Amino acid sequence: MISINPGSGPVEEATEQQAAENIQAFIADLAKEHGLAVASIDRTPLADYGEGRFAFALGITDGRRIEIQMPGVPVDRIRAGWARLYVDGSSWYWDFALRQCQVPDSGDGS
């Protein structure tokens, strides 16, 4: 079987508890690596994609709201590329997902 986006398929043996722990690690990395502070975290089960990913809405202190579909497997497996997470509907490996949460470039050179 050929996969266009490895790690974006179903996540076996995932748990909501592990996803909740992973979102905390993600938030810590946002602050440490990108200087982004999260003002609120809401678990949004009605938005779950299913198949081992659990939805969280992050309220960023700059007023943005970002949806994260977090896999519920140990975070080291996600960081290693075994499973992708989704940021506002697009799948990314961990480091790229962090970058997607940055403030978008306005395109005006500022």
Side-chain angles (χ1 to χ4, degrees):
M1 180 174 133
I2 297 174
S3 179
I4 294 174
N5 290 319
S8 62
V11 182
E12 301 294 324
E13 300 177 22
T15 67
E16 184 175 350
Q17 175 61 39
Q18 184 64 60
E21 292 174 22
N22 296 346
I23 202 71
Q24 293 298 326
F26 189 79
I27 290 167
D29 283 0
L30 280 175
K32 179 181 173 186
E33 298 176 23
H34 298 282
L36 289 177
V38 173
S40 65
I41 309 162
D42 296 312
R43 173 71 178 96
T44 53
L46 293 177
D48 285 356
Y49 285 3
E51 297 186 329
R53 288 183 180 79
F54 302 87
F56 297 85
L58 304 183
I60 308 300
T61 57
D62 63 13
R64 293 178 298 132
R65 194 161 171 86
I66 300 170
E67 181 185 89
I68 306 292
Q69 294 281 336
M70 182 61 70
V73 293
V75 73
D76 59 326
R77 291 170 72 184
I78 303 168
R79 285 182 169 140
W82 184 85
R84 291 178 178 230
L85 53 145
Y86 285 73
V87 178
D88 289 335
S90 297
S91 74
W92 301 95
Y93 292 117
W94 186 273
D95 290 337
F96 293 102
L98 291 168
R99 290 185 207 151
Q100 291 305 305
C101 295
Q102 293 178 343
V103 176
D105 183 7
S106 65
D108 64 4
S110 56

